[in-house]
Amino acid sequence: MSDDRTITLEVFRYQPPADGGETAAEPRFQSYQVPYHDDWVVLDALNWIKDQLDGSLAYRWSCRMGVCGSCGMMINGEPGLACAIYLKQYLSAPGKIRVEPLTNFPVNRDLVIDLEGFLDKLDRVRPYIDREDINDVSQGEYLQTPAELAAYKQYSMCINCMLCYAACPVVGMEPEFLGPAALALGQRYNMDSRDRDTGRRLDAMMEHKAIWDCTFVGECSVVCPKSVDPAGAIQQAKVQAAKHWYQRWLMPLGTRT
Amino acid sequence: MNRTLAQPGAGDAPETRTAAASQRQGGAQAAPAPLHRPWPGAWFLQRRGYVKFMLRELTALFVGIYLIVMLAFLHRMGQGEAAFGGLLASLTRPGWRVLHALALAAAVWHSITWFNLTPKAMPLRIGERRVPDAWVALAMGYLPWLVVTLLILLAILWR
């Protein structure tokens, strides 16, 4: 299986200033020659570089099988999971692979992006079942029919890999935009039959820099490795939020949606 | 949820979260500020999907222009037959014919793209199964489109 073929990886390098230092080195691309194997993914190549050539290269990874969502990066300009993209598809053309940190995120070091902004956005959509009448454990589970589960299941498959943020031009132009994954997760709970305080979440999702900033480019759904379809979820949130807004004027005072 | 929003000094372990903010304020112990990369001006050329999106959005321009043409017709209609005929005649000039063709193409593309996107915003479920998107687009978009087009063609032919 192994042969003498190699493939070039051009890896984005950025070293932050050392402790107390003011100026960071300019970001640059560093080329590495990596042995080629048919069954190697980009992550295998990065691991080989780190083991054999350059231990200073920083990147995130964990599961190697597309469930942890850690290894999202730009691979020849496309957002992708490094563990899911084979070297094979780049061997003949263009013959080299350019690896960059995901766009639309601040870069901490090399391929490691800063996720703090996203984690704050996640908080804003109240991503949990919201209800005040919490059953005692002795009363058992909150039951749900298979149809009720099917209504939101697709939107619960997100692994927070951030590929959708890298593909979203609205995030690029408006960094405060809550973004595909957070809004899709909010909608996942809006559609959950066990949720009781959907109105409060919809209020948060209707604010500025939230669902109404989405222009339905749809690329978030194209790059999603889990077929979550955040673009669809956001459009459905728009429909639900509009209903919620009108209902407020139609329903008697004191009723809750 | 223990996590607090990123506010300098808030929370039990704010160092990493507020690193960027402290750095901007000249904090000595803070982690270095992350690198912000510039957003390209011609972003809409970067991906095929972006180009298609821009084309879809630009079709609205032609739809808007045609709306103004329709309003002009209504206006002229109120001024009598001669005024209406005058507008009709001026719209047959070559320059306008090019615009009509462009507007037709834009309107068709506008309709197709939005019909295809309808099931994303309004998915239909029967029990646990989601009705295929193509069926929804067909029932809500293409079939009514076909029926209305045929009715208009019939009306024109039987005039």
Side-chain angles (χ1 to χ4, degrees), chain A residues 53-68:
Chain A
L53 300 179
D54 190 344
S56 72
L57 180 64
Y59 53 97
R60 288 196 183 102
W61 68 286
S62 179
C63 76
R64 325 180 321 281
M65 48 195 234
V67 267
C68 77

Side-chain angles (χ1 to χ4, degrees), chain A residues 61 132 177 211 224:
Chain A
W61 68 286
E132 273 157 24
F177 175 49
I211 49 174
C224 179

Side-chain angles (χ1 to χ4, degrees), chain B residues 59-125:
Chain B
T59 57
L61 256 181
F62 291 95
V63 175
I65 290 171
Y66 240 68
L67 205 70
I68 294 167
V69 171
M70 289 298 156
L71 288 173
F73 266 121
L74 278 177
H75 180 65
R76 287 279 181 257
M77 207 188 275
Q79 293 173 334
E81 206 181 326
F84 186 82
L87 179 61
L88 202 59
S90 62
L91 286 179
T92 56
R93 285 191 205 130
W96 273 104
R97 282 173 192 269
V98 172
L99 187 78
H100 297 323
L102 281 176
L104 177 66
V108 168
W109 183 243
H110 188 89
S111 309
I112 290 173
T113 49
W114 285 110
F115 287 160
N116 290 345
L117 290 176
T118 308
K120 287 224 177 201
M122 288 186 273
L124 207 59
R125 297 195 156 274

Side-chain angles (χ1 to χ4, degrees), chain A residues 75-206:
Chain A
I75 296 160
N76 279 359
E78 278 285 308
L81 296 178
C83 68
I85 298 191
Y86 285 86
L87 302 182
K88 199 189 304 188
Q89 69 190 84
Y90 301 106
L91 182 64
S92 48
K96 60 184 178 184
I97 303 171
R98 181 167 268 228
V99 186
E100 290 171 79
L102 286 176
T103 51
N104 301 341
F105 286 95
V107 180
N108 281 340
R109 184 191 185 103
D110 296 342
L111 302 172
V112 177
I113 55 168
D114 182 9
L115 285 169
E116 296 302 324
F118 168 71
L119 294 172
D120 292 335
K121 289 173 184 178
L122 211 49
D123 261 358
R124 302 253 303 276
V125 299
R126 309 174 70 83
Y128 38 85
I129 288 171
D130 213 355
R131 58 189 295 160
E132 273 157 24
D133 57 324
I134 296 171
N135 285 352
D136 190 73
V137 177
S138 63
Q139 293 172 275
E141 308 90 338
Y142 297 102
L143 296 180
Q144 201 164 45
T145 66
E148 284 168 338
L149 170 68
Y152 69 83
K153 193 178 178 195
Q154 178 187 15
Y155 306 119
S156 71
M157 306 307 280
C158 174
I159 55 172
N160 293 341
C161 66
M162 301 291 101
L163 300 193
C164 54
Y165 282 70
C168 175
V170 182
V171 173
M173 272 175 282
E174 183 47 77
E176 294 297 307
F177 175 49
L178 287 187
L183 290 171
L185 193 64
Q187 186 58 13
R188 169 247 176 280
Y189 284 100
N190 288 342
M191 294 165 94
D192 192 316
S193 60
R194 298 166 295 180
D195 192 65
R196 288 289 175 276
D197 221 348
T198 306
R200 207 151 36 147
R201 187 178 308 104
L202 281 170
D203 284 338
M205 289 169 66
M206 277 194 287

Side-chain angles (χ1 to χ4, degrees), chain B residues 4-41:
Chain B
T4 51
L5 292 178
Q7 280 168 9
D12 46 358
E15 290 80 15
T16 50
R17 228 171 294 152
T18 59
S22 327
Q23 180 78 3
R24 280 194 293 277
Q25 291 160 8
Q29 81 287 16
L35 168 77
H36 288 265
R37 289 187 295 164
W39 175 249

